[in-house]
Amino acid sequence: MNQTINLPGFVSSIDIEPDEFMLPLHEVVVNAIQSIEDVADPKNCTISINVIRGEQQSFKEEGFDTPYKPIKGFEVTDNGIGFTQKRFNAFNEVYTDINRKKGCKGVGRYTVLACFG
């Protein structure tokens, strides 16, 4: 049985609440950890997180003025197993079960699209 999914519609149906703002980063880091778990000798593997910030702005509320740079996104890199053909196929499959034994549901990567487009 071969089915298709309206991916933009699926992504737009993901409702991220304001208090879940770190969920996309969490999902990407979990994917990086799983990529490292699949390396034969993971002791020298690393995960790096780069926070991408926008232009500095001022926040004024009740006379309080604090400059800040809003977070625009993240770059997460790892030197794990990478996109093997099996992993790439799973990446392209909504609700993939490649990591179901690890408690994954196969849709976490779509939270990133829901938050950051």
Side-chain angles (χ1 to χ4, degrees):
M1 178 165 85
N2 192 5
Q3 296 181 344
T4 61
I5 186 167
N6 176 337
L7 198 52
F10 175 72
V11 170
S12 69
S13 73
I14 298 172
D15 188 24
I16 305 293
E17 297 295 325
D19 64 338
E20 298 173 314
F21 68 97
M22 295 300 285
L23 183 60
L25 178 60
H26 174 266
E27 294 292 348
V28 173
V29 170
V30 166
N31 288 348
I33 291 169
Q34 291 169 343
S35 179
I36 288 172
E37 288 175 340
D38 291 346
V39 172
D41 185 14
K43 69 181 176 187
N44 292 320
C45 291
T46 61
I47 299 171
S48 298
I49 302 170
N50 182 32
V51 179
I52 302 167
R53 294 193 171 266
E55 296 296 317
Q56 186 162 332
Q57 301 175 359
S58 290
F59 175 69
K60 293 185 178 186
E61 183 177 314
E62 300 175 12
F64 184 71
D65 186 12
T66 303
Y68 74 99
K69 293 183 178 181
I71 295 174
K72 295 176 70 176
F74 301 94
E75 289 177 347
V76 178
T77 57
D78 66 74
N79 58 348
I81 199 154
F83 268 126
T84 62
Q85 189 62 50
K86 179 181 176 182
R87 288 180 165 277
F88 184 70
N89 291 344
F91 180 81
N92 288 319
E93 180 183 353
V94 178
Y95 298 112
T96 182
D97 60 0
I98 190 172
N99 288 317
R100 186 154 321 264
K101 290 180 182 176
K102 296 177 181 180
C104 300
K105 297 178 182 175
V107 294
R109 63 200 171 278
Y110 298 108
T111 63
V112 177
L113 293 175
C115 282
F116 294 105

